[in-house]
Amino acid sequence: MERTEFTTVDTHTGGEPTRIVLDGIEADTLTGATVRERRDRFKATADGVRQLLMQEPRGHADMFGAVPVPTDRADLGVFFMDTDGYLDMCGHGLIGVVTALVERGELPESPELTVETPAGLVDVTVEIADGVVRRVAFENVDSYVCETVPVEQDGVPVEVRIVYAGNYFAVVDADSLGVTLDSEDATQCIEPALDLRRAVNDAAPEDPVTGARATVSAVELTASGDGDRSCVVFADGSVDRSPCGTGTCARLTLHHVDGDLAVGERVEVTGPVGSAFEGYISDTSVDNGVTVTSPVVSGTAHITGEHTFYRTDDDTLGSFTLA
Ligand code: PYC
């Protein structure tokens, strides 16, 4: 009987998991000149590994993962995956990976690190005390508002704002979708969010900076009043338990463009299980007539355990998601 093994260290960032693959992936499925190329090669040649580690029975419907890869442009290269595919950037995942690798001695105990992601280079600041990472902040890639897309939800017109923050987000007021973020049951957000993502992507929004099509991967349902709250739905209906790192960047960018957030002013965004990220806009510029921000977001992660996963050749079930 043949057995393949994969070693992971798992973290959670404000309740949201990141399964970090340390060993077991064939090196020739990770080749490329950039982290994006390495991710694309993995996607083309070893997507079964993603499915095996993210989906049931070894993962679950809301599992999230990261694969550290070599780079000579930064201290660390990493790409991100979920039960359904890949994201170019992930804030909670980045906080989890940096926390785990610094605490395990696999990254230098340096307060300043750079990380190459498929979305680009990200600067990271690490607060460490007694060998424990207390907080990780990242300055995301450039973020900007793309456009407002009018869609109909159950015959009712809804205004959806498309924001690039390392991934394309459709940001919408939860009330306008008929859901509340006050409920303990965040699963009520899933169907309306997936319907909205389909409608928005059918409308083919454009990225005003690159001129390319902006394909939305995540929907951010928002509520304000008693502080900023959000619930981000992505992949095939996964709910981010954290406030979502890149989603928080999208939110900060919208606040800034709407004149509600000055450069340097700090805000906290709370996610569906009550955990919060803090953020601010560190700088702005203009590209192609569009206001571009540099959002900084910070949060805390914890290592939850280590795994060695097996796949034996007599295990015919493989991996699956429940339809
Ligand atoms: O933290 O950026 C994030 C994220 C994206 C999807 C899930 N989490």
Side-chain angles (χ1 to χ4, degrees), residues 13 16-18 64 80 82 87 89-95 138 140 165 167 169 217-218 232-235 238-249 277 297:
T13 310
E16 179 68 1
T18 307
F64 196 87
F80 304 102
D82 56 41
L87 287 177
M89 173 52 196
C90 174
H92 93 267
L94 190 68
I95 294 168
F138 68 92
N140 200 2
N167 305 300
F169 282 85
S217 46
V232 169
V233 179
F234 65 103
S238 300
V239 175
D240 194 333
R241 273 62 170 159
S242 83
C244 186
T246 48
T248 299
C249 294
F277 287 160
V297 166

Side-chain angles (χ1 to χ4, degrees), residues 54-204:
M54 298 293 100
Q55 297 177 351
E56 295 183 57
R58 295 165 187 80
H60 55 77
D62 298 87
M63 181 47 82
F64 196 87
V67 180
V69 289
T71 173
D72 47 22
R73 283 184 199 80
D75 298 298
L76 170 72
V78 66
F79 65 81
F80 304 102
M81 57 194 181
D82 56 41
T83 52
D84 193 40
Y86 301 84
L87 287 177
D88 285 350
M89 173 52 196
C90 174
H92 93 267
L94 190 68
I95 294 168
V97 171
V98 168
T99 299
L101 298 188
V102 169
E103 288 189 0
R104 291 167 57 90
E106 286 158 15
L107 263 179
E109 263 204 36
S110 157
E112 307 286 338
L113 295 168
T114 49
V115 180
E116 185 186 346
T117 72
L121 286 174
V122 176
D123 288 329
V124 173
T125 309
V126 192
E127 277 175 42
I128 313 164
D130 304 325
V132 176
V133 175
R134 306 289 175 183
R135 200 164 185 86
V136 175
F138 68 92
E139 180 166 320
N140 200 2
V141 296
D142 287 351
S143 302
Y144 45 89
V145 180
C146 296
E147 60 177 279
T148 301
V149 179
V151 297
E152 281 217 344
Q153 197 84 334
D154 296 330
V156 180
V158 178
E159 287 221 325
V160 186
R161 298 180 82 186
I162 312 301
V163 185
Y164 179 72
N167 305 300
Y168 290 103
F169 282 85
V171 185
V172 66
D173 185 51
D175 280 348
S176 70
L177 288 193
V179 295
T180 168
L181 301 191
D182 295 331
S183 163
E184 303 239 303
D185 179 15
T187 59
Q188 49 144 356
C189 297
I190 298 173
E191 278 315 311
L194 293 182
D195 287 349
L196 184 92
R197 186 176 64 184
R198 261 187 298 276
V200 166
N201 281 331
D202 283 349

